[in-house]
Amino acid sequence: MTGWQEIGDRVFVRRYAFYDQNIGVVVGDGGLLLVDTRVSHRQAEEIRDDIRSISSLPVTSVVNTHGHSDHAFGNHVFRPATIWGHERCATMIASTGERQRERLANVMPELADELAEVVLDPPDRTFETTTTVEVDPGGRTVELRYLGRGHTDNDIVITVPGADVLFAGDLLENDATPYFGDAFPLDWPGTVERVVEFATGVVVPGHGTIGDRGFVVRQMTEFRSIAELARLGADDRLDIDAAVLRTPYRADEARQPLERALVQLAGELD
Ligand SMILES: [Zn+2]
């Protein structure tokens, strides 16, 4: 079972080198539920092969934590499984999927061929606030919750009753500066504050090292500082170059979070 870590009763995580991404599997009696599908069919097929070292059961359900390419572009490989996500996750993939594909192929030309073969396949089962998904009919369940805007407008968290585990998607990232390109930086701290309530055990970020409640609280504090520094900037009490040096992030990566927060403060994201 090399590569997979059992982090709760029949709940597994594998950390892939590409994007330092975490992929989750919940094992039921008659099927498997997969959390996120990676950026291409090739990468999704790698998950499908790797899963065989855990179980020979079929993947019956997939959950997308949000609508970014690295979490959803492998979806099609797992059909006929049902695919779950927030209702705006489906919208995001349908409306920005081609743009995401194009942008990524420009940044990583070596991925262009495998990105070209991706069939965009958004969630067909969506929800707004909370829902329960059966891993197998009448069997094990997982809970999906939307707790507010943050990394995107459609991030959800997944908890597994009976296993003290929470999958946070990219609401939390470890070992790297979180990606703010589609974020709502003023909402993000409050959303992570709500994640804390559910973070009673193992917490799996979308990318990087697995953590616990303390990790969630630290991230909440960091998101708060970005929102506060941006507010000072918007009030002309701090210039952006000075603010960059005061964030918890590497100076060369701190500008994007602050600028995105300023855009939201200016009312341009609603
Ligand atoms: Zn993301």
Side-chain angles (χ1 to χ4, degrees), residues 214-260:
F215 157 65
V216 184
V217 171
R218 284 193 297 281
Q219 292 257 310
M220 176 184 72
T221 310
E222 295 187 1
F223 291 128
R224 266 192 203 138
S225 81
I226 292 296
E228 281 161 16
L229 287 166
R231 284 199 178 92
L232 291 175
D235 292 346
D236 284 330
R237 285 154 61 201
L238 189 63
D239 85 26
I240 181 111
D241 294 321
V244 157
L245 299 174
R246 297 187 197 182
T247 78
Y249 308 135
R250 272 173 39 182
D252 61 329
E253 293 177 343
R255 195 167 289 269
Q256 185 209 30
L258 288 169
E259 284 176 350
R260 181 78 181 177

Side-chain angles (χ1 to χ4, degrees), residues 3-5 7 12-25 34-38 47 63 65 70-71 166-170 172-175 203-211 215:
W4 294 98
Q5 192 185 347
I7 54 170
F12 295 84
V13 171
R14 190 178 180 113
R15 189 170 170 183
Y16 286 92
F18 184 90
Y19 281 168
D20 195 11
Q21 185 172 7
N22 291 313
I23 297 296
V25 173
L34 177 68
V35 179
D36 288 336
T37 60
R38 305 184 72 202
I47 302 175
V63 178
T65 55
D70 49 329
H71 300 263
L166 179 141
F167 291 94
D170 289 358
L172 302 172
E173 292 185 48
N174 212 347
D175 310 313
V203 176
V204 183
H207 304 265
T209 308
I210 289 168
F215 157 65

